[in-house]
Amino acid sequence: MSEWKAKRFWKETTHEATEGGWTIRLDGRPVKTPAKIALVVPTEELAREIAAEWNAQEEVIQPLTMPFTRCANAAIDRVATQRDAVVEIIAAYGETDLLCYRAEQPYELIERQAASWDPLLEWSKNELSAELTVHSGVMFGSQPEAALKTLFAHVDEMSPFQLSALHDLVAMSGSLVLGLAVAKGRVDSETAWDMSRIDEEWQIQQWGRDEEADALAAQKREEFLRAEKLFRMV
């Protein structure tokens, strides 16, 4: 039996101001999230992006081609309804932050990591008041409790839509510091993505490229850049 697919049923897609923000309408009817909550976003810029995604749908609705709609749904249905748990999940990355785990060899990789990551850890110390400890190797190393509490506070100050974007920045990079650096404008997402890929790119230099892995990395990079765009819009 063929899988049922939702088909386009509307002619006109619009966005307009509403109580609490902006909404998208299909032939005048407001769009709702999968949980049947009104899809209300905080800025007109984001509403315009979502409206464009709906307007681009042809005969069959393709959710995978609607990333900003999916992000808004997640912010409303999941993040806003369990905000404390999401903050905990994101902040926990500080305990095993990518930037704090360094290669033991070779020297060239050690130098590459230090040149890229040390300035961000210094930024975390000076600007976020969170000084993290660097460890050699992959074995778990603890971090100062005061630093983790401070990083938690930086995450906890964000709105559900900001948290949705920050989650992707942090989870895909493996670094809370890197995600916060993008969110706070210390680095742009393209630079941050490259910084998060130092170990992978080193391995590629040693063993060569793999087309399938490159395609997956390219897809993740696009999602990472989009997360910064979402953060800037909300």
Side-chain angles (χ1 to χ4, degrees):
M1 184 173 65
S2 61
E3 182 180 354
W4 180 85
K5 295 182 179 180
K7 294 183 178 181
R8 177 162 181 158
F9 56 85
W10 68 97
K11 293 182 179 180
E12 183 182 32
T13 307
T14 58
H15 69 282
E16 61 183 56
T18 189
E19 182 179 357
W22 293 80
T23 191
I24 293 81
R25 293 184 179 274
L26 309 177
D27 291 341
R29 289 176 288 184
V31 173
K32 293 187 177 182
T33 70
K36 307 303 181 183
I37 301 173
L39 183 66
V40 177
V41 300
T43 67
E44 183 180 10
E45 186 178 6
L46 179 55
R48 188 182 297 114
E49 291 281 356
I50 294 173
E53 291 179 345
W54 283 90
N55 195 49
Q57 301 305 300
E58 298 181 347
E59 291 186 8
V60 176
I61 301 174
Q62 303 285 352
L64 291 180
T65 66
M66 308 170 74
F68 287 113
T69 301
R70 298 200 315 273
C71 288
N73 287 338
I76 295 168
D77 286 351
R78 297 201 294 273
V79 180
T81 58
Q82 48 188 347
R83 185 182 181 282
D84 290 347
V86 173
V87 170
E88 291 275 2
I89 290 170
I90 296 173
Y93 277 85
E95 300 173 13
T96 57
D97 200 289
L98 170 73
L99 308 189
C100 296
Y101 289 85
R102 306 299 176 85
E104 297 178 289
Q105 60 177 336
Y107 179 76
E108 184 179 345
L109 177 55
I110 294 172
E111 286 291 288
R112 192 175 299 182
Q113 290 174 337
S116 182
W117 297 347
D118 284 357
L120 280 185
L121 291 181
E122 190 68 15
W123 170 80
S124 177
K125 173 185 174 182
N126 295 331
E127 299 299 324
L128 304 184
S129 299
E131 183 176 6
L132 296 177
T133 303
V134 173
H135 303 281
S136 295
V138 297
M139 296 298 292
F140 174 77
S142 62
Q143 295 294 343
E145 189 64 28
L148 296 177
K149 287 183 178 180
T150 299
L151 290 173
F152 179 95
H154 283 287
V155 177
D156 195 33
E157 69 185 15
M158 297 187 181
S159 70
F161 278 86
Q162 289 175 325
L163 288 171
S164 183
L166 181 64
H167 175 271
D168 288 349
L169 291 170
V170 173
M172 284 192 282
S173 68
S175 170
L176 177 57
V177 171
L178 202 50
L180 287 172
V182 174
K184 294 178 180 291
R186 172 61 177 78
V187 295
D188 59 66
S189 54
E190 291 192 47
T191 301
W193 177 254
D194 291 341
M195 295 171 85
S196 75
R197 295 273 304 171
I198 287 177
D199 292 353
E200 287 83 357
E201 290 301 320
W202 172 265
Q203 292 297 324
I204 289 171
Q205 288 181 16
Q206 311 312 306
W207 305 105
R209 309 203 73 89
D210 177 88
E211 289 186 7
E212 188 173 329
D214 282 351
L216 180 59
Q219 178 183 340
K220 289 183 176 180
R221 178 181 180 277
E222 183 177 345
E223 294 172 3
F224 191 81
L225 302 189
R226 187 183 299 116
E228 182 192 19
K229 184 175 181 180
L230 174 63
F231 194 94
R232 300 284 172 252
M233 287 193 290
V234 299

